[in-house]
Amino acid sequence: RSAYWSALESEMQNPFHNPAFSMANLTAAINQIPNRYGKLEALRLMPEKSVRFRQVLVEERNGVLALLPTLPPGSPGTVGVRGKRKMRSFVVPHIPHDDVVLPEEVNGIRGFGSETELETVANVIAQHLETMRSKHAITLEHLRMGALKGVILDSDGSELYDLYAEFDITPKVISFALTTPTTNIKAKCADVLRHIEDSLRGEIMTGAHVLCSPEFFDAFTGHDRVQKAFENWQQGAGLVQDLRSGFTFGGLTFEEYRGQATDVEGRTRRFIAAGEAHCFPMGTVDTFATYVAPADFNETVNTLGQPLYAKQEPRKFERGTDLHTQSNPLPMCHRPGVLVKLTA
C-alpha cells in the first residue's frame, strides 16, 4: 500500500504527468489566450459555430418571394411555394501544429513537490502555447480572408474551395478606374451597394465594409472626387468617431488592410493583392460563419468542436515533452453573390 501511494504521489508531483496539464486543461488554456492578430476577428464577421463532425453540409434554398394579394374575408389563403433545395458538402480543414518543451527550459527548478515548480513549468508551457496560438490565429485570418474573396486558399496558395463554383455564381468585379480623374466614384459605390442588396436574397445588413490594399486605399483617397472629403474626414474624425472604423464615402466604409504572413517556405503572402479591395456586407444574420470541428482524439469523438485543442506527452526516454495543438476551422460565406472585388 505504501509503495502504491508513493508512486501516486510521485506521479502527481511530476509536472508533466500532473492533471493540471491534461488535454482538457491545456485546451482550455490555449483558448483563453487572447488573439492579438486578426482584423476579421475584431470585426466579428464570421462567428464560430461548433459542429460534431468533420464534414459540413450547407443547404441552399432558392426561396420564392412573391407579393400576397388581398382577398375577401373567408377566402382561402394563398399556398406557399417551396423553393428548390440543394445540398453541398464541405470537409473541414485539419491544421495540426507541434512544438517541444526541452529539459533545458525548466533546468534548475526541478524540486519535487514545490508549488513554484508547477507554476514555472506552467509558465514555460504557456509561453509555447501563446506562440502556437498566434500561428493558428494568423492561419485562421488567412482562411477567413479567402472566404471573403470567394476562394479559400491553403498556406501554399493552393485552392481549398472555390465558393463561386460551389454555389454556381459568377464573381462580381467592379473597376473603380482610379487612374481617371473624371471617374464618378459615388456612382461606383452605388453600383456596389445595389449589387450587394440584390444578392442578399432576404438577408439583412447594417452597412458595407471594404478592406483595401495600401495601393488601392492610396489611389482611392487621392482621387480628385474623393480627396477633399477624405481630408475633411481626417480633420474631424478624431473628434467625432473611432479612427479605427475606417473612412466612409458613398455608403461604403473603406479601411486599409495590410494582412500578410510567411509560409513554410519563407515566402511572404499578402492576403489582398496590390491594387485590389474586397467589399462585403456587415450586420448579416447567417451569411458568414466559421465552422469548428472536433479534434481527432479519442476524448473528442462526437463532441462539439472547440476553436483550438492542445495536448502534451513525454518524449522517448523522458527527453522533454511534446506539445500538440490543432484547429479544425472552415470559414464560410453562404451567399458568395454578396462579395464584390474592387480594382483600382
Side-chain angles (χ1 to χ4, degrees), residues 4 6 33 78 276 278 300 305:
Y4 168 79
S6 297
I33 296 175
T78 54
E276 294 183 0
H278 293 272
T300 57

Side-chain angles (χ1 to χ4, degrees), residues 155-228:
S155 61
D156 59 358
S158 61
E159 181 181 300
L160 293 176
Y161 290 108
D162 185 339
L163 299 182
Y164 295 115
E166 294 286 346
F167 290 92
D168 300 323
I169 292 175
T170 302
K172 182 65 173 179
V173 180
I174 294 180
S175 172
F176 266 49
L178 296 177
T179 56
T180 304
T182 58
T183 301
N184 189 341
I185 304 299
K186 283 189 176 181
K188 295 287 186 179
C189 295
D191 291 341
V192 174
L193 282 172
R194 292 187 182 110
H195 174 80
I196 294 177
E197 291 168 353
D198 292 341
S199 302
L200 285 173
R201 295 186 178 181
E203 172 69 288
I204 63 172
M205 72 174 187
T206 57
H209 207 87
V210 185
L211 293 180
C212 315
S213 66
E215 296 83 359
F216 183 97
F217 191 80
D218 290 343
F220 176 77
T221 55
H223 192 271
D224 292 345
R225 300 289 184 94
V226 181
Q227 189 171 12
K228 185 175 180 180

Side-chain angles (χ1 to χ4, degrees), residues 93 260 285 302:
Q260 61 183 22
V285 177
N302 290 329

